[in-house]
Amino acid sequence: MIVDCAVYRDGHRAQGPQDFSDALAEARAAGGFVWIGLHEPSEKEFDHVTREFALHPLAVEDALKAHQRPKLEVYDDSLFLVFKPVVYEPESDSVSSGEVMVFLGDGFVVSVRHGEGAPLAAVRRRLEQEPELLAKGPTAVVYAIADATVDHYLDVATELQTDLEELEAEVFSPDGGGSRNTASRIYRFKRQVLEFRRATGPLGPPLTRLAGVGASGPGVPFVNEKARPFFRDVNDHLTRVNDSVEGLDRLVTDILSAHLAQMSVRQNDDMRKISAWAAMAAIPTMIAGIYGMNFEHMPELRWVWSYPAVIALMVVLEVLLYRLFKRRGWL
């Protein structure tokens, strides 16, 4: 559905016609632009927008189906950008991502949002409170969306870092992360990092092009050249986020390896203890088994001190074995 449609002139929102084509014509005549925001539009709802703004059918198909990687596509009459805003849910300590598609052309911006996270109403309000920035045209809208998306990445990275520290403390606690749920928690956290990485990693090349960095940057149409320093700032923030995500991924892998190593060491300790107690139980069992045989001619059977001597021998052997295993750390 259409969330908002507005015409902007000289950095201020202006009253304009409700029809898309009339609003676009009026905005271009006045040197302004029109910004249309949609949320999960149907094919029928988006068909009118496609005709009025001459959007490329391949980009329209991507915008309707969603599930796209962050990217930047250049067409004859417009740019098509995909952002993946990420939302951290503290109740479940999980990361979920949405999608924001942006069509940028001569005098218009069309934003299409999928998912409940990262609504663009706050971005629009922020821009309307900064007329100097909004006066730079449609490029300002793309910058504001990119900046809000990447800034939220930084917040999510901080939350994930906190979760990782808690997980690390659990694994390296005195009990060695002995809970059965520790391994599953580590695996779930790694999945969250992977989901986060899918959103942040592919966004690097599009922002590099918008910032005019590298050989492919200067050729991006419909982007105000004066906005390149702003995109470079966003790109720097994204680089920090990607470095943080890379660090999180490495650390959680190391934590998983440490947890598995601790579990292996604990199992070895348990096996040593079991083996030591089994060896201590084998001595009296063997002696009792020998003297339990019903042979008539066995030495010491009729000796008065046979029973206490055998018991004393068992005790002495058990004490010797216990001290030996204790000294070697098996008990």
Side-chain angles (χ1 to χ4, degrees):
M1 66 176 181
I2 299 176
V3 178
D4 201 349
C5 175
V7 175
Y8 296 93
R9 304 188 192 96
D10 299 324
H12 297 279
R13 184 166 181 153
Q15 292 294 331
Q18 295 299 318
D19 184 75
F20 295 157
S21 56
D22 293 341
L24 180 59
E26 181 177 322
R28 285 174 174 172
F33 69 95
V34 59
W35 179 7
I36 300 173
L38 301 101
H39 179 231
E40 297 182 355
S42 64
E43 185 174 351
K44 183 178 180 181
E45 291 173 335
F46 204 60
D47 186 58
H48 183 47
V49 179
T50 302
R51 292 196 309 270
E52 293 296 340
F53 295 99
L55 304 179
H56 197 280
L58 292 177
V60 171
E61 182 181 359
D62 290 343
L64 289 173
K65 292 185 177 180
H67 304 294
Q68 303 295 318
R69 286 164 55 91
K71 63 180 180 179
L72 167 62
E73 298 286 352
V74 180
Y75 298 102
D76 293 336
D77 299 322
S78 63
L79 290 181
F80 177 63
L81 298 103
V82 179
F83 300 94
K84 288 184 74 70
V86 172
V87 177
Y88 178 82
E89 299 173 0
E91 295 82 7
S92 57
D93 292 336
S94 62
V95 171
S96 61
S97 62
E99 291 184 42
V100 174
M101 286 80 165
V102 180
F103 294 88
L104 176 67
D106 182 18
F108 71 87
V109 177
V110 177
S111 58
V112 182
R113 182 169 61 89
H114 290 268
E116 297 300 325
L120 296 179
V123 176
R124 190 185 288 265
R125 287 194 300 270
R126 171 197 163 191
L127 277 175
E128 290 177 354
Q129 293 172 1
E130 301 182 32
E132 293 183 0
L133 179 61
L134 194 56
K136 297 184 182 298
T139 304
V141 177
V142 176
Y143 160 72
I145 294 175
D147 186 52
T149 301
V150 174
D151 281 349
H152 202 59
Y153 286 165
L154 292 170
D155 297 335
V156 174
T158 301
E159 295 289 348
L160 289 177
Q161 182 65 41
T162 301
D163 290 345
L164 180 63
E165 291 173 356
E166 294 176 356
L167 195 59
E168 189 176 20
E170 177 181 339
V171 170
F172 293 103
S173 61
D175 61 354
S179 172
R180 295 181 178 180
N181 297 325
T182 302
S184 61
R185 282 194 60 196
I186 296 174
Y187 179 75
R188 287 197 302 268
F189 184 83
K190 193 170 181 64
R191 290 293 301 267
Q192 305 308 317
V193 174
L194 178 61
E195 180 73 18
F196 192 27
R197 196 172 191 173
R198 287 174 179 169
T200 64
L203 188 57
L207 284 182
T208 299
R209 294 184 64 184
L210 292 172
V213 179
S216 61
V220 180
F222 306 109
V223 175
N224 191 331
E225 293 186 2
K226 295 181 179 179
R228 288 179 180 172
F230 295 93
F231 285 113
R232 281 199 292 270
D233 180 67
V234 177
N235 194 31
D236 289 341
H237 291 173
L238 180 64
T239 301
R240 288 173 49 197
V241 171
N242 284 328
D243 289 343
S244 178
V245 173
E246 187 72 23
L248 288 171
D249 188 56
R250 287 197 303 268
L251 282 173
V252 73
T253 300
D254 293 342
I255 288 175
L256 179 59
S257 299
H259 174 66
L260 295 177
Q262 286 181 329
M263 295 297 293
S264 178
V265 170
R266 188 178 297 109
Q267 290 176 352
N268 289 337
D269 289 340
D270 293 340
M271 288 302 299
R272 284 201 299 266
K273 291 178 181 179
I274 294 173
S275 299
W277 286 111
M280 293 173 63
I283 296 297
T285 302
M286 181 187 67
I287 297 175
I290 292 174
Y291 281 92
M293 292 185 293
N294 296 320
F295 294 118
E296 183 176 353
H297 302 288
M298 288 185 66
E300 298 92 21
L301 283 181
R302 300 185 182 279
W303 186 37
V304 176
W305 297 99
S306 295
Y307 180 76
V310 169
I311 296 298
L313 178 62
M314 290 182 182
V315 172
V316 170
L317 291 176
E318 290 295 301
V319 170
L320 290 176
L321 285 176
Y322 181 82
R323 294 184 62 182
L324 175 63
F325 292 142
K326 192 72 173 179
R327 186 166 58 248
R328 292 187 176 181
W330 286 33
L331 291 176

